[in-house]
Amino acid sequence: MRTLRERKKQRTRDALLRAALDLFTERGYEETTVDDIVAAVDVSQRTFFRYFAGKQDAAFFVARLAESRFVEAVRARPAGEAPLDALRGALTDSWDGIGEAIEQLVPLDVHLRFYQVIESTPALLAAHLHRATQLEERIARVIAEREDVDVDTDPRPRVVVAVFGAVFRVTERVWTAGGDAGLAALRELTDLHLDQLGPALTGKWRTP
């Protein structure tokens, strides 16, 4: 059981996260300063830097939690499952759990709306794509371990994860450009694009 001090620290961190994401979505990332964030919570800059290395660290804090949960979900998939099925199954199984975990930190709608800020902010988008590459490497190593292959000599784990990541990246772009920024819309769009993956890669596109 957490002590009173630990609970107070978590409440302060969560309040800073909420304030940061609220301000990023309302004012813009570049237009928001650390001073703005701490003023919204009525704490000092020193307190902010006790929890976060900077604005970008706060911006992606919740996303890191979601990503870690997805990696663990991939690791937990049945051993006999094909790699792409394992990735899709992990995503399907982890939607609700990830949403609940995010809600414990910040409102889910605030987290989801922040993705529109990422798409419209070059510095954030560059960091987001860099982090996606790092995440793909983590997942590729999990897939390689599951399939008992060497990720450094067998390209298949990185290839299948890169393809899956590309589908999700396209989904993310379409979703953030649309009018519905809810989780249900993201899930539906993800399923639609994953259903089209096989035909897009191996089928003929032109119709007679």
Side-chain angles (χ1 to χ4, degrees), residues 159-187:
V159 169
V160 74
V161 172
V163 170
F164 186 84
V167 172
F168 201 78
R169 173 67 190 138
V170 170
T171 300
E172 197 175 70
R173 290 177 63 185
V174 174
W175 172 69
T176 55
D180 188 348
L183 184 61
L186 177 59
R187 293 177 68 163

Side-chain angles (χ1 to χ4, degrees), residues 99-138:
E100 291 170 4
I102 291 171
E103 283 279 7
Q104 293 178 6
L105 297 175
V106 298
L108 185 59
D109 67 301
V110 173
H111 170 68
L112 293 174
R113 282 190 288 114
F114 178 63
Y115 277 89
Q116 295 173 328
V117 179
I118 292 175
E119 290 291 333
S120 61
T121 309
L124 282 180
L125 183 57
H128 181 53
L129 295 176
H130 177 66
R131 293 179 61 259
T133 300
Q134 294 176 318
L135 177 62
E136 287 180 7
E137 181 64 17
R138 288 174 63 191

